[in-house]
Amino acid sequence: GGDCGPDDPMTFPGAIDLPDDGVDQDCFAGDLLSSQKGLDLTPKYSPQTKDAEPELMVLVSVDALRPDFTGFYGYSKYPTTPKIDAWAKQAVVFDAAYTTGPYTTIAMPSLLTGLGMGQMPGYISDLFEERLSSPTVKLPASVETLAEGLKADGFKTHAIVSGFDVNQNDFNQGFEGSEIISTRSLDTADEVTAAARRWLAGQPKGKRFLWLHYFDPHDPYFHGVQPNFGRSTKARYASSIAFMDNYLGDLLNELARQPKTTVVMVSDHGESLGEKGKFGHGYNLHRHEARVVMAWRGEG
């Protein structure tokens, strides 16, 4: 993996390179010298006035979407995401985004709160109990969600979700309204997008936050979804993504033409499609299940 010191546990790509010690700990450009300039890695941000802040913020989460099955991450076997690709040309696309856990009830709370699993009181033990007796695991009321923060800042907040019920899991904290399109594993991109357009049409102005969760790439990858790329597991998976793209892609490109709008697209986790003999997700931390899509597009 590019490790220039395989026998030295302190030397590997991404390690801290101690200056002037004659050792290239991070396997990049030789030993770091204190005399080198231009090494300030502190992020620089353009100043943003109050007038430039977004009025519409949309979080689009997609269940079980692998980056390497999307065109804007380089996939080319099937035309899975031509419309989203067009949107992503003007987006910031993150190459190394990873989930906090390859399972929705692990990943989604962190996505909604910015907290790691160990920072949510009781959530890990509740999740363990869920695996044993299947009660509904709930997001702790003591943590602040993104929606709660934005609502406190004057945003109207709404969630449109397919695949699970945010009301049962208390993932709806801070959302003034929520629509559950389906709790089953179905391809519902057309319905989620239609519901999103209805809500946006009813809220044409002001500070708004909308969360959309698309479920289409999740198993069992129904055969017959259009476009239909074939019957193999990977072909059916790609077909579900392309079906979603046909609806979500149009919505993303419409939102991109609106002023003061910021859209974030992210997947909650990836999916194993036969790699290392595994299918589905929630079983390991290999890249197929852990790496996620993340792209941001907005002004400023």
Side-chain angles (χ1 to χ4, degrees):
D3 192 342
C4 60
D7 298 321
D8 181 358
M10 298 300 293
T11 300
F12 55 89
I16 296 175
D17 195 351
L18 303 175
D20 305 321
D21 66 349
V23 180
D24 180 17
Q25 280 98 350
D26 63 356
C27 303
F28 178 76
D31 181 31
L32 177 65
L33 302 178
S34 57
S35 59
Q36 289 179 282
K37 303 298 183 182
L39 294 176
D40 183 8
L41 299 180
T42 305
K44 300 298 190 297
Y45 301 98
S46 299
Q48 186 179 48
T49 65
K50 201 72 176 175
D51 291 338
E53 291 181 356
E55 291 187 353
L56 173 61
M57 298 176 63
V58 183
L59 170 63
V60 178
S61 55
V62 183
D63 218 296
L65 177 62
R66 281 173 53 161
D68 59 347
F69 269 74
T70 66
F72 59 102
Y73 276 94
Y75 182 73
S76 60
K77 183 173 182 178
Y78 301 115
T80 52
T81 54
K83 294 181 179 180
I84 299 177
D85 295 345
W87 171 82
K89 286 181 180 179
Q90 300 298 320
V92 178
V93 178
F94 292 79
D95 290 330
Y98 288 84
T99 182
T100 51
Y103 193 70
T104 301
T105 49
I106 298 175
M108 198 55 67
S110 291
L111 183 63
L112 295 174
T113 66
L115 299 174
M117 295 302 299
Q119 296 172 293
M120 300 181 202
Y123 194 81
I124 294 177
S125 58
D126 289 344
L127 193 64
F128 179 68
E129 291 295 327
E130 180 196 28
R131 295 292 187 136
L132 295 178
S133 55
S134 296
T136 300
V137 62
K138 295 181 181 293
L139 185 65
S142 59
V143 301
E144 184 182 61
T145 65
L146 174 61
E148 287 175 315
L150 290 172
K151 183 179 177 182
D153 195 37
F155 279 76
K156 297 177 181 178
T157 58
H158 194 72
I160 301 171
V161 179
S162 190
F164 58 92
D165 189 342
V166 294
N167 302 304
Q168 289 185 356
N169 295 100
D170 286 353
F171 293 173
N172 61 345
Q173 293 178 35
F175 289 100
E176 296 167 327
S178 57
E179 298 176 52
I180 312 304
I181 301 301
S182 174
T183 57
R184 299 172 60 196
S185 299
L186 300 173
D187 292 287
T188 53
D190 51 344
E191 298 178 60
V192 173
T193 303
R197 286 199 173 100
R198 286 194 298 270
W199 188 82
L200 290 168
Q203 313 287 336
K205 295 181 180 180
K207 298 166 75 171
R208 296 150 290 159
F209 172 57
L210 178 62
W211 171 32
L212 305 175
H213 186 76
Y214 286 78
F215 204 70
D216 305 77
H218 197 284
D219 67 88
Y221 337 119
F222 295 102
H223 179 64
V225 172
Q226 297 300 323
N228 185 351
F229 299 134
R231 289 186 172 274
S232 71
T233 299
K234 290 185 177 181
R236 288 185 288 115
Y237 178 74
S239 296
S240 289
I241 296 172
F243 172 81
M244 178 187 70
D245 175 80
N246 195 41
Y247 298 95
L248 172 57
D250 282 342
L251 179 62
L252 291 177
N253 284 290
E254 291 169 16
L255 292 171
R257 293 190 288 269
Q258 296 187 20
K260 293 191 175 183
T261 297
T262 295
V263 178
V264 178
M265 179 181 175
V266 62
S267 44
D268 58 349
H269 52 75
E271 187 83 338
S272 287
L273 297 170
E275 298 86 3
K276 301 182 183 294
K278 301 294 182 181
F279 290 89
H281 55 268
Y283 306 107
N284 60 66
L285 295 176
H286 296 304
R287 283 170 61 88
H288 317 105
E289 297 187 33
R291 187 179 176 222
V292 296
V293 166
M294 188 164 73
W296 297 58
R297 180 167 172 172
E299 299 174 4

